[in-house]
Amino acid sequence: MTHFPFVSAARPRVAIIGAGCIGLSIAWRLAAAGGTVDIYDQGSSGRGATHAAAGMLAAAVETEPGEQPLLPLTLDSQRRWPAFAAELEAYTGLPVDLRTEGTLQVALTRDDVEVLRAGYEFQRGLGLNVAWLTGAQVKEREPWLNPRAAAGVLGADDGQVDNRKLAVALKAAALKAGARLHEDRAVEALSVTGGRADGVVVGGEVRHADVVVLAAGAWSRQLAGLPDGAVPPVRPVKGQMLSLRMDAAQPLLHHVVWPPKCYLVPRLDGRLIVGATTEEKGWDDRLTAGGVLALLEAAWRALPGVEELPIEEMWVGFRPGSRDDAPILGPVPGVDGLIMATGHHRNGILLTPGTADLLAHHILTGQLDPLLAPFGIDRFQERKTNGMRL
Ligand code: GLY
């Protein structure tokens, strides 16, 4: 029995475009509340950014200058994670490996220490739970790091989840709650009648729905039939990543570690995820020698023991980056029935519980939580003053 917190008499028919963690989690919530939910994906579920991600829940570490408006949303979703993971595991019997050891940012050189201190002051100024550690304190926590580690910052509220296990569990939850999943079923177009999104076109036919949720990640702007002003300005932001194999009984790390120029995410099963490049290369999905070299060199400088580890996998993913790198969430002015759930950029896994709960609440009750208000697509629509475009 799921503990879905929203009670509504409404039982909407919902079409969700995109079966990543965002689409699947919204589907779970709506189907559990009695909605009739169909999820469409052009490929297999959970194979896009959800599969490529590192699964970091890092509201503190990943908040960069300029991203302060995002913080209420990321912190809200971070707080939801423990209960969300417990509920999902209980509902499906499947693990998602939530880990709460925290995130450790590490400086190796004197220059790194200056950069780390500036970031620490910024994060502390935002009220985030970050603590400065000396080099000795860093090595106490992670003895296999480079002995020259000069300082660190612990984000004790940050953590990680295994995003690939998450995708499997969310699919199981959505199906158990009664959602129907249509894999390898591309939506050809949005159907809009009289200014209302009333379904999706699949196989040349309109499949009617009361609500259409666009959760197709970096592919979202490719949906045909979106009216002007409803095309989300989302682009693919390429990330190259790889995983190494540690001995699960004697892992080299316990925390998620952020040395300069990479991050290192140790999994319970012994994988060590090394990420990630950030490249504006469109849909170029090729691994490059330079990308992999840069990641391995940064990982090796921080954790010399990686030299001995077998490489298990290398891959490329596409973060759905919006024009201001913040997500695009909620209703679309001028197109009733269309809900945006896209543009999560670096924070898709972190923002999964918040996105699912807040958007499901909106779809079922019509109420828009104030946390969502800054993230509507209307912020990109043309603003005009005295005939001048701003
Ligand atoms: N959140 C990690 C990344 O975007 O690479």
Side-chain angles (χ1 to χ4, degrees):
M1 174 80 184
T2 184
H3 301 293
F4 187 54
F6 311 125
V7 180
S8 169
R11 299 195 182 283
R13 290 173 305 166
V14 184
I16 297 177
I17 305 170
C21 57
I22 299 295
L24 289 171
S25 58
I26 296 170
W28 175 31
R29 291 315 202 192
L30 291 174
T36 302
V37 181
D38 288 276
I39 321 159
Y40 299 91
D41 199 287
Q42 61 185 354
S44 303
S45 65
R47 293 297 301 184
T50 297
H51 189 76
M56 289 177 294
L57 310 177
V61 171
E62 291 220 60
T63 299
E64 294 177 357
E67 290 185 350
Q68 293 90 324
L70 194 52
L71 203 52
L73 197 66
T74 52
L75 287 176
D76 169 81
S77 204
Q78 185 133 304
R79 281 190 288 268
R80 290 175 193 264
W81 253 107
F84 183 82
E87 183 186 349
L88 183 57
E89 288 184 339
Y91 189 64
T92 61
L94 297 169
V96 298
D97 292 359
L98 177 71
R99 297 183 68 175
T100 56
E101 289 91 343
T103 297
L104 197 54
Q105 293 169 269
V106 175
L108 299 175
T109 65
R110 203 178 283 183
D111 282 354
D112 297 341
V113 174
E114 293 308 312
V115 174
L116 186 65
R117 188 166 293 282
Y120 167 70
E121 298 294 351
F122 168 72
Q123 288 159 3
R124 218 167 54 118
L126 296 173
L128 293 168
N129 181 12
V130 284
W132 187 264
L133 303 184
T134 63
Q137 288 169 323
V138 168
K139 277 165 273 176
E140 247 168 55
R141 287 181 170 271
E142 293 291 5
W144 298 110
L145 284 176
N146 186 327
R148 284 182 308 189
V153 170
L154 178 68
D157 297 338
D158 287 348
Q160 61 149 308
V161 66
D162 185 324
N163 40 290
R164 294 183 183 179
K165 291 186 178 174
L166 174 69
V168 173
L170 282 173
K171 173 179 170 178
L175 293 176
K176 183 174 174 185
R180 292 176 297 221
L181 176 61
H182 310 272
E183 297 182 303
D184 301 312
R185 280 309 251 168
V187 169
E188 287 136 31
L190 179 72
S191 171
V192 180
T193 307
R196 177 170 190 88
D198 62 355
V200 292
V201 181
V202 179
E205 286 177 8
V206 178
R207 300 195 181 180
H208 288 284
D210 304 308
V211 177
V212 179
V213 178
L214 181 50
W219 290 263
S220 296
R221 72 179 302 158
Q222 296 178 352
L223 178 63
L226 285 164
D228 284 351
V231 181
V234 175
R235 68 189 193 289
V237 181
K238 175 179 176 181
Q240 302 186 48
M241 300 178 68
L242 54 101
S243 63
L244 307 172
R245 173 59 59 182
M246 302 182 292
D247 178 350
Q250 292 183 309
L252 292 181
L253 292 178
H254 293 88
H255 304 74
V256 174
V257 171
W258 284 70
K261 300 193 173 100
C262 75
Y263 51 73
L264 303 166
V265 186
R267 297 284 199 232
L268 290 175
D269 64 7
R271 275 178 305 146
L272 179 65
I273 313 292
V274 183
T277 63
T278 301
E279 302 170 67
E280 297 289 351
K281 295 265 177 67
W283 293 104
D284 174 3
D285 64 356
R286 289 171 297 186
L287 288 157
T288 62
V292 172
L293 178 67
L295 293 174
L296 282 175
E297 186 182 15
W300 172 73
R301 283 189 189 286
L303 189 67
V306 299
E307 201 168 53
E308 305 297 330
L309 302 181
I311 295 178
E312 193 164 272
E313 191 187 343
M314 296 193 269
W315 65 95
V316 168
F318 297 107
R319 306 173 185 90
S322 77
R323 204 179 296 152
D324 61 5
D325 290 341
I328 305 171
L329 305 172
V332 178
V335 192
D336 289 346
L338 179 60
I339 301 291
M340 290 287 158
T342 187
H344 290 76
H345 196 223
R346 296 183 170 281
N347 294 308
I349 305 295
L350 171 63
L351 288 174
T352 290
T355 302
D357 288 351
L358 297 174
L359 287 182
H361 179 64
H362 171 67
I363 290 165
L364 293 168
T365 68
Q367 291 166 15
L368 193 68
D369 191 286
L371 278 172
L372 293 177
F375 301 107
I377 195 170
D378 50 327
R379 73 187 188 276
F380 301 113
Q381 290 169 343
E382 285 182 343
R383 288 179 289 153
K384 292 183 181 170
T385 307
N386 298 331
M388 304 245 319
R389 190 180 293 178
L390 294 176

